[in-house]
Amino acid sequence: MALQCGQSPLGSCGTPTHGSLLLLLLRWVLLSSAQTADARQGIMTPWRQRSSQDLSRQQPEPTVILSRALQSTEKKACPPGKEAQVVDENLIFYEEWELEACVDGALLAKQMDRVNAVPFTYQQLDIFKHKLDKLYPQGYPESLIRQLSYFFLGVTPEDIHKWNVTSLETVKSLLKVSNGRKMDAQVAALIARYLIGEGQLDIATLDMLAGFRPTYLCFLSPEQLGSVQPDVVWAVGPQDLDMCRPLQMDVLYPKARIAFQNMSGSEYFARIKPFLGGASTEDLRALIQQNISMDMATFKKLQKEAWMPMTIAEVQKLLGPNLAGLKVEEGNSPVRDWIFKQRQDDLDSLGLGLHGGIPNGYLVLDLNFREALSGVPHLFGPGSTLTVIPSLLLALILN
């Protein structure tokens, strides 16, 4: 108690006055109010706003009390006689906590065919999946993957990337159950895992893939892409080919050009744009004649060998109002390499402030002839080099 002996306005020690009784009553009210308010939140805490240092010394340590909601999620033991020995219709009537407590993940893996045969709810299937994920944290074994069937519809691309898939029949069975559903990401992951093990897709499988968004195309080899149905290119979206390599784009671009050959102008460009990573210099020059304006993001995906030979005038027509993007990419390859090959006077005519072109009075020399020009200074390492005209003449004379 906070009362002290001696002269005090609250009365002598051991004889409470009206004032001391009032203080005790006030303290009891405050503590009761605090405990009631905190108990509503499921946690009992001491009164934190104390009126004096003495009151704080009288408080007990905080006591944590679990709320009913938290208590309901605590792991419960399986009731006697309800431990599942087989996957059957009786499990449908189990409460979710009973499925958690009474069904073993190994049983589910062993009887996956029964899991698919019984009409479980999505919530129940989620519990089963959680159990299998816990049983196989490094990914499902292929023996289980072969039996997944419709259970495959509940897995994620992240799950699939842990798998080791070597059987083409397994791939086909999972493609079959995925058909007509929004499983594009899972299908792409499945194809990737199969091909990473050097698996080969046959024509029948490629035909089955035609029913899905073609995010899987970049996982196929150039030879496999050659067998892809031409209609597939119509379903390609803007980012579906971002992971494709040049050799793959070399196969896909001709397919797209044939598929969209009856289009022209902006309509044609919108369709062909994802495939332009496989376009040649001649293709790009033909595109210029259609008066399109290529955005910088697409321009950067072009093969370097395709657009590097293009003149300043051609690049200006190709980019149109997006020409200013060259200034942003001035220090990055391949724009930087292209600038090095252009005359500075011509670059200045663009009005972009591009620098690094060939100054007046300089020539571009192929370093393949450096033996004939030994002793002539060069500025740019492998590829091409610059030298003044008098030095060139001198080297030729000495040779």
Side-chain angles (χ1 to χ4, degrees):
M1 182 175 285
L3 299 178
Q4 302 291 332
C5 293
Q7 298 299 321
S8 172
L10 297 178
S12 61
C13 183
T15 307
T17 64
H18 293 292
S20 63
L21 291 175
L22 180 61
L23 178 60
L24 289 172
L25 179 60
L26 177 62
R27 176 170 174 258
W28 179 82
V29 171
L30 291 175
L31 288 175
S32 298
S33 299
Q35 291 172 351
T36 301
D38 288 341
R40 290 173 183 168
Q41 301 175 9
I43 300 176
M44 185 73 73
T45 59
W47 178 251
R48 296 177 180 176
Q49 303 298 328
R50 303 176 178 91
S51 59
S52 69
Q53 184 177 0
D54 294 321
L55 282 176
S56 67
R57 289 198 294 267
Q58 296 295 325
Q59 294 303 318
E61 291 298 320
T63 304
V64 178
I65 299 178
L66 292 176
S67 66
R68 293 178 180 176
L70 290 177
Q71 291 174 352
S72 66
T73 61
E74 287 184 310
K75 186 174 182 179
K76 300 179 181 179
C78 180
K82 300 206 72 170
E83 186 77 30
Q85 303 298 324
V86 64
V87 176
D88 58 18
E89 292 79 0
N90 291 325
L91 296 181
I92 296 177
F93 304 102
Y94 277 42
E95 294 186 31
E96 292 183 8
W97 72 266
E98 290 179 312
L99 291 177
E100 286 280 6
C102 303
V103 180
D104 184 58
L107 175 66
L108 296 171
K110 185 178 180 180
Q111 300 187 16
M112 180 54 63
D113 58 330
R114 295 294 305 157
V115 173
N116 285 299
V118 177
F120 291 112
T121 66
Y122 289 120
Q123 291 80 3
Q124 291 171 330
L125 291 174
D126 284 342
I127 293 174
F128 294 163
K129 180 181 181 300
H130 174 72
K131 285 184 167 292
L132 290 173
D133 292 346
K134 187 175 180 179
L135 181 64
Y136 303 112
Q138 304 301 320
Y140 298 171
E142 191 161 15
S143 58
L144 173 58
I145 298 172
R146 292 193 194 100
Q147 306 299 323
L148 285 182
S149 187
Y150 288 96
F151 196 84
F152 178 67
L153 302 178
V155 303
T156 67
E158 291 73 23
D159 297 327
I160 298 171
H161 282 300
K162 299 178 183 179
W163 297 356
N164 181 33
V165 183
T166 62
S167 169
L168 182 59
E169 292 307 312
T170 299
V171 173
K172 289 181 178 180
S173 67
L174 297 180
L175 290 179
K176 185 176 180 180
V177 300
S178 303
N179 190 34
R181 296 175 171 86
K182 294 182 179 180
M183 296 287 290
D184 299 321
Q186 287 87 337
V187 166
L190 176 65
I191 296 300
R193 294 307 300 168
Y194 175 67
L195 294 178
I196 205 171
E198 299 184 358
Q200 298 294 319
L201 298 177
D202 57 19
I203 299 298
T205 308
L206 292 173
D207 290 345
M208 293 176 70
L209 286 172
F212 300 93
R213 180 180 171 185
T215 51
Y216 58 84
L217 289 176
C218 295
F219 298 114
L220 305 183
S221 67
E223 293 75 20
Q224 291 168 336
L225 288 173
S227 301
V228 169
Q229 294 181 3
D231 291 346
V232 169
V233 300
W234 288 90
V236 170
Q239 286 82 41
D240 290 345
L241 305 182
D242 284 353
M243 296 177 58
C244 284
R245 301 181 298 275
L247 289 177
Q248 294 168 310
M249 298 305 299
D250 289 342
V251 177
L252 290 172
Y253 175 74
K255 286 180 175 288
R257 189 176 57 180
I258 294 173
F260 310 140
Q261 61 185 338
N262 294 327
M263 299 179 177
S264 61
S266 59
E267 183 184 21
Y268 173 76
F269 179 66
R271 284 291 188 179
I272 201 68
K273 186 161 65 171
F275 303 89
L276 287 175
S280 66
T281 305
E282 292 70 24
D283 295 326
L284 296 178
R285 285 173 174 157
L287 203 59
I288 292 174
Q289 305 305 316
Q290 299 201 34
N291 297 319
I292 59 92
S293 296
M294 183 178 293
D295 57 276
M296 203 64 198
T298 303
F299 184 75
K300 289 164 61 176
K301 294 178 182 179
L302 299 177
Q303 292 191 32
K304 179 179 177 180
E305 297 75 11
W307 74 270
M308 285 288 284
M310 298 178 69
T311 66
I312 288 180
E314 289 173 333
V315 172
Q316 186 176 18
K317 290 180 180 178
L318 183 65
L319 293 176
N322 303 311
L323 185 66
L326 289 177
K327 181 62 179 178
V328 178
E329 297 294 325
E330 180 180 20
N332 303 324
S333 181
V335 172
R336 178 191 59 213
D337 304 325
W338 177 79
I339 289 176
F340 286 166
K341 293 178 175 292
Q342 312 306 315
R343 295 195 176 277
Q344 188 60 48
D345 283 350
D346 296 334
L347 292 172
D348 292 341
S349 68
L350 296 176
L352 300 177
L354 299 176
H355 299 287
I358 304 170
N360 290 335
Y362 282 71
L363 295 176
V364 179
L365 300 179
D366 191 336
L367 288 182
N368 291 331
F369 298 100
R370 73 175 69 185
E371 299 84 1
L373 303 175
S374 58
V376 177
H378 58 274
L379 305 179
F380 283 106
S384 61
T385 186
L386 305 179
T387 184
V388 293
I389 292 178
S391 298
L392 172 62
L393 294 176
L394 179 60
L396 292 175
I397 293 172
L398 292 177
N399 190 49

